[in-house]
């Protein structure tokens, strides 16, 4: 069966048109891969949230986690496709949880849940962020400090918005969704988050291995 690799084909086209070196072609291919998978992941997450009837809470979780990840980094799968599939499952799931459970809370009772989660997430981000990866290591101390400060500022900005909504007693589902997005992103910074990412990679490899065995048989 023929397979069309959009990123590779586009990078090869750019190499021909712009006379790129092999290294520049690889950089272009990687950049295209990031853009394509990010866009695809966002669309599929929103689509799943819409199908599950929790579009706005799913969007809140997605934006919160994605925005914080710019500064905090975090655990990731070795396969962009696995990352996309994981996000397509986890983010709408968190959005659905927020949509289903938030109506049972008052602003006061919800604040008793949001506040401890915020404190724990803040501690995790303060101690661990930014978490880099072998593919994108952070080698400069000044850059690391800057990203940590930006991550903390992002958390404080998020908290200010939540506090305002709680004081007004409005959009409690969004408040909870924002917290779930924060908690999920903080989780990806921890060793448990890295083990979870490793597990998804190993699970994917086992599934692929079974497919290969079946095709041989």
């Amino acid at each position: 069966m023929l397979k069309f690799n959009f990123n590779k084909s586009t990078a090869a086209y750019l190499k021909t048109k712009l006379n790129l070196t092999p290294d520049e072609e690889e950089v272009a291919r990687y950049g295209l891969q990031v853009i394509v998978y990010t866009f695809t992941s966002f669309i599929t997450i929103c689509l799943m949230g819409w199908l599950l009837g929790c579009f706005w809470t799913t969007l809140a979780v997605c934006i919160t986690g994605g925005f914080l990840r710019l500064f905090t980094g975090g655990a990731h799968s070795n396969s962009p496709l696995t990352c996309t599939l994981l996000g397509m499952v986890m983010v709408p799931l968190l959005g659905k949880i927020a949509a289903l459970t938030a109506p049972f809370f008052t602003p006061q009772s919800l604040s008793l849940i949001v506040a401890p989660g915020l404190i724990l997430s803040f501690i995790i981000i303060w101690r661990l962020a930014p978490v880099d990866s072998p593919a994108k290591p952070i080698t400069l101390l000044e850059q690391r400090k800057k990203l940590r400060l930006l991550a903390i500022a992002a958390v404080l900005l998020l908290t200010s918005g939540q506090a305002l909504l709680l004081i007004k007693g409005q959009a409690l589902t969004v408040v909870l969704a924002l917290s779930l997005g924060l908690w999920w992103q903080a989780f990806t910074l921890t060793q448990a988050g890295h083990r979870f990412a490793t597990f998804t990679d190993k699970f994917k490899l086992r599934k692929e291995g079974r497919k290969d065995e079946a095709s041989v048989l």
Side-chain angles (χ1 to χ4, degrees):
M1 182 176 63
L2 294 177
K3 294 184 179 180
F4 176 69
N5 190 317
F6 173 81
N7 299 327
K8 186 176 181 180
S9 299
T10 305
Y13 174 80
L14 292 175
K15 178 185 178 182
T16 302
K17 290 297 182 180
L18 302 177
N19 294 321
L20 301 179
T21 65
D23 288 341
E24 290 172 335
E25 180 187 7
E26 182 62 24
V27 171
R29 188 198 62 79
Y30 178 77
L32 286 168
Q33 178 175 284
V34 171
I35 293 172
V36 169
Y37 276 104
T38 299
F39 178 77
T40 303
S41 179
F42 179 75
I43 294 299
T44 54
I45 285 171
C46 290
L47 178 60
M48 287 298 297
W50 178 72
L51 291 174
L52 292 173
C54 54
F55 175 80
W56 293 111
T57 51
T58 297
L59 186 62
V61 174
C62 182
I63 291 176
T64 301
F67 180 62
L68 289 173
R69 194 175 180 85
L70 292 174
F71 312 119
T72 64
H76 64 93
S77 171
N78 291 328
S79 167
L81 178 59
T82 303
C83 282
T84 300
L85 294 175
L86 182 61
M88 190 173 65
V89 173
M90 289 303 305
V91 176
L93 176 62
L94 295 175
K96 190 65 176 180
I97 290 173
L100 290 176
T101 59
F104 294 100
F105 294 100
T106 64
Q108 293 75 22
S109 60
L110 184 58
S111 64
L112 296 178
I113 296 176
V114 170
L118 167 66
I119 294 172
L120 179 59
S121 299
F122 187 87
I123 293 173
I124 292 173
I125 291 173
W126 175 268
R127 293 188 60 185
L128 300 179
V131 175
D132 56 4
S133 66
K136 294 179 63 178
I138 302 174
T139 57
L140 299 178
L141 181 60
E142 288 301 319
Q143 182 186 11
R144 185 172 292 277
K145 289 181 178 179
K146 181 180 179 180
L147 288 172
R148 178 179 288 114
L149 290 176
L150 288 172
I152 292 171
V155 172
L156 294 177
L157 178 64
L158 171 69
T159 303
S160 300
Q162 288 181 292
L164 182 61
L165 291 174
L166 285 172
I167 291 172
K168 292 185 175 183
Q170 298 177 345
L172 298 187
T173 54
V174 174
V175 172
L176 183 55
L178 294 174
S179 286
L180 290 174
L182 170 63
W183 300 345
W184 172 254
Q185 184 54 32
F187 170 73
T188 66
L189 305 181
T190 64
Q191 288 297 322
H194 282 76
R195 286 194 292 270
F196 181 73
T198 301
F199 169 77
T200 59
D201 281 333
K202 290 181 178 179
F203 179 78
K204 180 175 182 293
L205 289 173
R206 286 199 298 268
K207 295 289 287 184
E208 290 179 347
R210 291 173 184 172
K211 290 181 180 178
D212 291 341
E213 290 175 3
S215 64
V216 171
L217 295 175

